[in-house]
Amino acid sequence: MALPKILKDFNLFGDGNSWQGLIQTITLPELARRMVEFEAGGMDGPIEVDMGNQLMEMTWTPGGLLVDGVYDTYGSPIHDAAQLRFTGSYESDEDGTVVPVEIVVRGRHKTIGMGEAQKGDNSTGEITTTISYYKLTIDGEVVIERDIPGNVFMVRGEDRLADRRAALGT
């Protein structure tokens, strides 16, 4: 019987600041493709045509007031002003092996929710960051890397947009 590797611990870094012990939850970015339906003469039905990646977001919840780093890039005119780095420790309950996972994103903080203020309360808020760069590394291997403005989409070392960039002369 196999058991899944479970996230046993994580940390989030923002623009070089370690927020160890300050982040309660993170909704990691979803990898999703933008598909459009296509049907033409001679086809018995529609298929979906892949039109590239959907917009990516990452949502995260600090416990209490987060002072260092998060406000510094808010409202920046630069698409990748904020950098976040998630580090996770996924562990097997079968043999105890630990698989390190790292997700690095760059983008902008779209919303900074300050939460509900109540004396003695944890005052959790929620921050949503839109992403223009994404890199997923599992156990030291870069699995996915996306640089939207640079028109780069790598999957396990395969550059899936190299032919398109060559056709465009870029």
Side-chain angles (χ1 to χ4, degrees), residues 95-157:
D95 60 13
T97 58
V98 172
V99 176
V101 173
E102 178 182 75
I103 297 174
V104 175
V105 300
R106 291 193 301 265
R108 301 178 211 232
H109 301 313
K110 181 165 107 174
T111 61
I112 301 176
M114 299 292 286
E116 185 176 309
Q118 181 178 341
K119 180 181 175 187
D121 191 23
N122 194 7
S123 315
T124 59
E126 186 175 86
I127 299 163
T128 302
T129 306
T130 61
I131 297 169
S132 61
Y133 173 86
Y134 172 90
K135 181 168 74 169
L136 168 65
T137 305
I138 300 175
D139 205 15
E141 179 189 6
V142 177
V143 178
I144 305 279
E145 186 172 16
R146 294 182 54 213
D147 177 357
I148 303 301
N151 202 24
V152 174
F153 177 39
M154 304 281 289
V155 178
R156 295 191 187 274

Side-chain angles (χ1 to χ4, degrees), residues 5-6 8-9 88-92 95-101 139:
K5 291 172 180 55
I6 304 293
K8 298 288 180 101
D9 211 349
S89 176
Y90 289 78
E91 188 174 317
S92 167
D95 60 13
T97 58
V98 172
V99 176
V101 173
D139 205 15

